[in-house]
């Protein structure tokens, strides 16, 4: 099996779409109204087959605890500085061993985004 998508229920659909598109370079693949009137937007990165599904749902909106999504960056230092320039406050760069470096940012829902 291969992973298809990650679903995030959100009370901040517009802000979430803007974050993933402008900060992480995703694009809107599909957007529609589902049965029951919920807005659903699928986002996709050119670099991956995995999509992010955002569902507008105030009652079940993600509360920001216990979820982390990892993304690979070609240059950690360059990406770190670029995100700071966009107004984000990334964590310190963590290096648990000489071959691994990463840091974290948060999406509008409190999802922890790990940049590796």
């Amino acid at each position: 099996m291969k992973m298809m998508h990650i679903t995030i229920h959100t009370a901040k659909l517009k802000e979430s779409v803007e974050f993933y598109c402008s900060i992480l370079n995703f694009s809107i693949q599909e957007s529609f109204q589902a049965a029951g009137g919920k807005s659903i937007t699928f986002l996709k990165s050119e670099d991956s087959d995995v999509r992010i599904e955002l569902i507008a749902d105030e009652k079940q909106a993600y509360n920001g605890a216990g979820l982390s999504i990892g993304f690979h960056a070609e240059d950690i230092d360059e990406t770190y500085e670029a995100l700071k320039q966009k107004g984000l406050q990334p964590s310190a760069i963590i290096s648990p061993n000489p071959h691994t470096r990463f840091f974290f940012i948060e999406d509008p829902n409190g999802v922890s985004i790990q940049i590796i």
Side-chain angles (χ1 to χ4, degrees):
M1 282 190 257
K2 73 176 189 175
M3 180 180 271
M4 298 295 295
H5 67 267
I6 297 165
T7 300
I8 302 169
H9 292 258
T10 179
K12 302 173 181 177
L13 182 62
K14 182 178 177 182
E15 295 94 333
S16 297
V17 169
E18 175 67 23
F19 173 86
Y20 285 97
C21 290
S22 68
I23 302 298
L24 298 176
N25 298 319
F26 277 69
S27 59
I28 296 173
Q29 185 178 41
E30 184 178 8
S31 191
F32 58 92
Q33 292 292 118
K38 292 182 182 177
S39 295
I40 299 177
T41 300
F42 279 94
L43 305 172
K44 187 170 182 313
S45 167
E46 287 183 19
D47 301 333
S48 174
D49 290 335
V50 177
R51 301 182 301 169
I52 294 177
E53 176 187 29
L54 297 170
I55 300 176
D57 187 345
E58 290 188 26
K59 291 180 183 175
Q60 292 185 343
Y62 178 73
N63 66 9
L67 176 65
S68 178
I69 304 172
F71 293 93
H72 176 263
E74 292 297 322
D75 184 321
I76 288 291
D77 296 310
E78 183 179 298
T79 303
Y80 187 88
E81 290 304 319
L83 293 174
K84 283 177 63 175
Q85 292 297 318
K86 290 183 178 186
L88 295 172
Q89 297 177 346
S91 72
I93 294 176
I94 301 163
S95 184
N97 67 58
H99 307 289
T100 304
R101 295 176 72 222
F102 58 88
F103 63 90
F104 294 92
I105 57 175
E106 284 191 0
D107 85 351
N109 308 289
V111 173
S112 180
I113 305 295
Q114 181 181 25
I115 309 296
I116 306 165

